[in-house]
Amino acid sequence: MSFSDEETDALVSQLTKNLSPKEKKRVELLHQLSKMLAKQSKKTPPPQSNT
């Protein structure tokens, strides 16, 4: 299952609306990290096996 950036932002927004500011910041950090990792994985070609 995958979501567009807009869908993910909407989901995160709804899930964090009742969290404390500290918890929101933590979730937002994880969200940003996951975006960075996804972008990185799209740039890096998969490793080639030597079999």
Side-chain angles (χ1 to χ4, degrees):
M1 183 182 299
S2 62
F3 299 99
S4 69
D5 286 343
E6 293 82 16
E7 292 169 325
T8 303
D9 290 341
L11 286 168
V12 170
S13 176
Q14 287 299 307
L15 292 171
T16 60
K17 67 181 178 183
N18 294 323
L19 295 180
S20 71
K22 185 177 182 179
E23 291 171 321
K24 276 186 186 182
K25 199 169 206 169
R26 194 176 296 164
V27 171
E28 288 169 4
L29 174 63
L30 289 172
H31 185 213
Q32 291 299 319
L33 288 172
S34 68
K35 279 184 175 182
M36 290 170 55
L37 287 172
K39 195 179 286 187
Q40 182 78 18
S41 69
K42 289 179 183 177
K43 290 181 182 178
T44 308
Q48 295 183 0
S49 64
N50 293 331
T51 58

